[in-house]
Amino acid sequence: QEQLWREPATPQFHTGRGNEPFNNLNLFSTALAKRYGTPTSLPDYVDKAQLANYEQVRAQFEANSRRMTAERPATGFIYWMLNNAWPSLNWHLYSHDLNPAGSYFGAKKANEPIHIQYSYDDRSVVITGHGPKSADRLTAKAEVYTIDGKLVHSQEKRGISVSLPGVAEVFTLPELTGLSSTYFVRLKLTDRRGQDVSSNTYWLSAQPDVVDWDNSDWYYTPASTFADLKGLGTLPDASVDVRARTHGDKTTVTVRNTSKTIIPAAQ
């Protein structure tokens, strides 16, 4: 376990008995440290890995959904893999013991029946529909916050309709100044009664990832510049209230954010 975060090039059968780089997490760990900050402990490494897995798996499914139109149908893709046969930290939706990982929740978020999402390439906001019924008279709202909770930009659009399956283009966020190195985009979609339909939060960098396509290989494309998401490590702990109620064979757990500040926090 210590080698996992201190010596990530150590072979640990993460994808089988193959040779480098497939038998270790060195490529994964290098990008993790560059983007999220050098791990300081095993728990810190695992937390950052799960956060990165959520981020990248959500992006995969959202990119597919964005292209799911009548003119250019993208009806699905093969995701490798469902679960590992041994402990690992990448690729799977479930860990070896069938515990849902960060990637599982990223996939779950991206595949909501009606889903609002942000596009990393052009800052556009779109709504995707996967469910059995169309939706109309929707209201979309986007807010941009600095790492310390300052609202930098707010944008809203009403009267949106989305067919199912289908994609509705909402608006494009402008290029903004005054952002912190790490910042947030928060999206919210409500119906005609003001009820929540979908919400989504992105942690972004004023310095984007720059992919080095000239040195791409069949299994790996390096980055010449990494996004700076290290600001997440400075977030204070959230104050939360957790309560559980059991009725028969069903247990409901309710988590409430009881913090008194608008500053984003982690738990």
Side-chain angles (χ1 to χ4, degrees):
Q1 289 182 342
E2 288 298 297
Q3 286 180 322
L4 188 64
W5 69 280
R6 292 183 185 274
E7 304 170 26
T10 302
Q12 294 202 17
F13 303 108
H14 282 287
T15 59
R17 295 188 177 185
N19 299 321
E20 288 192 85
F22 304 107
N23 63 357
N24 61 65
L25 289 177
N26 194 39
L27 293 176
F28 175 83
S29 298
T30 298
L32 193 71
K34 293 286 188 180
R35 300 178 84 244
Y36 283 91
T38 302
T40 58
S41 65
L42 179 60
D44 183 57
Y45 176 80
V46 173
D47 286 346
K48 289 174 178 175
Q50 297 295 352
L51 197 62
N53 282 326
Y54 178 98
E55 177 193 17
Q56 60 97 359
V57 171
R58 178 182 60 175
Q60 291 180 55
F61 282 97
E62 287 184 339
N64 178 76
S65 297
R66 180 182 165 192
R67 297 296 185 186
M68 190 172 56
T69 64
E71 295 76 19
R72 186 180 178 181
T75 56
F77 62 88
I78 298 174
Y79 184 85
W80 180 269
M81 57 190 162
L82 181 65
N83 65 285
N84 296 99
W86 49 82
S88 186
L89 285 170
N90 67 334
W91 288 3
H92 59 273
L93 297 182
Y94 295 87
S95 62
H96 70 290
D97 57 359
L98 299 184
N99 190 42
S103 48
Y104 165 85
F105 293 100
K108 181 179 180 180
K109 170 59 66 174
N111 287 290
E112 294 176 314
I114 301 176
H115 177 68
I116 188 168
Q117 65 185 58
Y118 171 84
S119 304
Y120 288 89
D121 58 344
D122 60 7
R123 304 187 309 279
S124 64
V125 174
V126 303
I127 300 171
T128 61
H130 302 107
K133 297 180 180 179
S134 60
D136 56 16
R137 296 173 65 181
L138 300 172
T139 298
K141 185 175 184 179
E143 296 177 325
V144 182
Y145 290 90
T146 61
I147 196 71
D148 58 356
K150 177 184 176 182
L151 179 62
V152 178
H153 177 76
S154 181
Q155 198 165 338
E156 183 177 287
K157 183 176 181 180
R158 298 175 178 272
I160 306 166
S161 298
V162 59
S163 58
L164 302 178
V167 179
E169 297 182 1
V170 181
F171 46 62
T172 298
L173 297 181
E175 291 190 44
L176 300 171
T177 59
L179 296 171
S180 48
S181 297
T182 306
Y183 65 97
F184 300 97
V185 170
R186 186 171 68 181
L187 306 178
K188 187 174 183 179
L189 185 68
T190 54
D191 61 19
R192 68 188 71 180
R193 297 179 297 276
Q195 300 296 312
D196 291 346
V197 174
S198 173
S199 61
N200 214 344
T201 299
Y202 296 80
W203 43 97
L204 302 173
S205 170
Q207 172 184 285
D209 290 298
V210 178
V211 180
D212 184 7
W213 292 111
D214 291 337
N215 290 302
S216 180
D217 206 335
W218 67 270
Y219 63 88
Y220 170 64
T221 300
S224 56
T225 302
F226 289 93
D228 183 3
L229 301 173
K230 301 178 185 67
L232 297 177
T234 68
L235 294 176
D237 290 337
S239 173
V240 298
D241 176 69
V242 182
R243 300 185 182 186
R245 297 180 63 186
T246 299
H247 301 277
D249 59 354
K250 180 180 179 181
T251 298
T252 301
V253 179
T254 302
V255 181
R256 290 186 174 88
N257 183 354
T258 57
S259 301
K260 303 299 182 182
T261 175
I262 64 171
I263 297 176
Q267 180 64 32

